[in-house]
């Protein structure tokens, strides 16, 4: 099975160059409401939505994209709403109430997700892993892709890492202000709830590395900087290391916070 794009003849050094683009799509919407209710009340509301899709370039072409060492396509979703109510109880007393909610979510699905490694000749017990299968990541010393733009990935073959994170924040604020003679009395408080949900552990990607060590004869146990070929070790199936890992358990965090304040501004004299 072909797993990466063909470059120039084998030279023992990187000689594959590609130029590929992946346009980012962003859709933003905003609804705003601002209304005076009589002379003493004001109501304000705002709703914001943003959907952004950030794909990664298909450096090996669409047919081989599942084996590319690029990060998966990111889908970022943001929703926020804010409400503010202000009322003048008298010429010297004002009450303000504010509530807001923000939700931000990042979802990333790797191009090699749901690929069965057994198709590449791996043992059938690879199918017994309860996590989502993924295309193997293979590293060969001296070979690999380097991106000119950050946050796109890197390596030679395969990348497996699902991102599924969500952050929410709910915030409430109340303020009361009254003026009495030389005193301006203010008091109020806030209360909020924030949560973080992270599920980055649903994939299981095998990883293998190949070095010149196993082909550096005549004695493979004696290191030599002048002998051996990592690519030859790969062709022989003589790996230096291998592992199957996940990113661990999911994370769910919730915390509440609150605060109060009291303030008195006292003027020594009142200007005429």
């Amino acid at each position: 099975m072909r797993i990466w794009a063909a470059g120039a003849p084998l030279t023992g050094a990187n000689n594959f160059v590609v130029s590929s683009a992946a346009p980012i799509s962003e859709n933003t919407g905003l609804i705003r409401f601002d209304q005076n209710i009589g002379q003493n009340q004001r109501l304000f509301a705002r709703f914001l939505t943003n959907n952004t899709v950030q794909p990664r370039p298909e450096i090996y072409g669409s047919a081989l994209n599942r084996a590319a060492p690029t990060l998966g396509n990111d889908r970022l979703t943001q929703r926020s709403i804010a409400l503010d109510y202000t009322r003048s109880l008298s010429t010297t007393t004002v009450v303000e109430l504010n509530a807001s909610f923000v939700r931000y979510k990042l979802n990333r699905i790797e191009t090699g997700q749901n690929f069965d490694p057994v198709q590449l000749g791996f043992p059938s017990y690879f199918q017994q892993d309860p996590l989502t299968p993924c295309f193997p990541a293979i590293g060969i010393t001296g070979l690999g892709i380097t991106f000119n733009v950050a946050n796109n990935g890197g390596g030679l073959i395969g990348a497996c890492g699902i991102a599924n994170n969500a952050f929410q924040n709910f915030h409430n604020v109340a303020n009361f202000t009254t003026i009495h003679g030389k005193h301006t009395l203010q008091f109020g408080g806030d209360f909020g709830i924030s949560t973080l949900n992270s599920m980055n552990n649903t994939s299981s990607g095998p990883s293998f590395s190949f070095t010149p060590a196993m082909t550096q004869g005549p004695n493979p146990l004696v290191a030599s900087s002048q002998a051996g070929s990592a690519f030859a070790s790969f062709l022989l199936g003589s790996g230096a290391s291998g592992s199957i890992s996940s990113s661990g358990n999911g994370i769910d965090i919730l915390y509440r916070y609150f605060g109060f304040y009291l303030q008195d501004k006292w003027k020594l004299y009142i200007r005429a």
Side-chain angles (χ1 to χ4, degrees), residues 13-239:
N14 285 329
N15 53 31
F16 178 77
V17 178
V18 63
S19 177
S20 180
I24 297 175
S25 173
E26 181 175 359
N27 296 299
T28 302
L30 174 65
I31 300 176
R32 177 170 175 166
F33 176 83
D34 198 344
Q35 180 67 42
N36 290 325
I37 306 173
Q39 296 182 347
N40 299 327
Q41 302 178 75
R42 177 177 175 269
L43 180 63
F44 170 81
R46 183 190 65 209
F47 175 74
L48 174 67
T49 176
N50 179 276
N51 296 315
T52 301
V53 178
Q54 180 180 348
R56 297 310 196 283
E58 297 179 346
I59 59 173
Y60 290 166
S62 58
L64 303 176
N65 196 38
R66 63 186 175 184
T70 53
L71 300 177
N73 298 333
D74 289 349
R75 181 178 296 274
L76 301 93
T77 305
Q78 182 181 359
R79 303 287 186 269
S80 68
I81 185 171
L83 300 172
D84 186 86
Y85 174 74
T86 305
R87 179 168 183 173
S88 298
L89 302 179
S90 67
T91 56
T92 59
T93 304
V94 177
V95 174
E96 181 182 12
L97 304 175
N98 180 276
S100 63
F101 175 76
V102 176
R103 175 179 171 84
Y104 179 85
K105 183 177 181 181
L106 168 63
N107 179 258
R108 173 184 297 165
I109 299 178
E110 297 291 349
T111 56
Q113 186 178 343
N114 292 315
F115 179 85
D116 184 2
V118 176
Q119 299 180 52
L120 298 177
F122 287 93
S124 60
Y125 59 74
F126 275 76
Q127 297 175 331
Q128 300 176 9
D129 195 321
L131 300 177
T132 303
C134 203
F135 198 95
I138 299 175
I140 301 176
T141 302
L143 301 177
I145 296 292
T146 301
F147 292 90
N148 291 329
V149 180
N151 195 31
N152 275 292
L156 181 64
I157 302 172
C160 192
I162 300 174
N164 191 10
N165 303 315
F167 172 80
Q168 294 87 215
N169 179 262
F170 182 65
H171 189 66
N172 298 280
V173 178
N175 295 303
F176 180 88
T177 303
T178 184
I179 299 175
H180 182 72
K182 297 181 180 181
H183 295 269
T184 299
L185 181 64
Q186 295 178 304
F187 65 88
D190 67 345
F191 171 77
I193 298 176
S194 293
T195 64
L196 172 64
N197 309 106
S198 177
M199 288 295 294
N200 297 337
N201 63 321
T202 56
S203 66
S204 176
S207 176
F208 305 93
S209 65
F210 297 86
T211 69
M214 296 304 295
T215 55
Q216 63 181 359
N219 185 355
L221 301 180
V222 178
S224 171
S225 60
Q226 305 298 322
S229 168
F231 190 74
S233 298
F234 167 71
L235 294 178
L236 292 172
S238 301

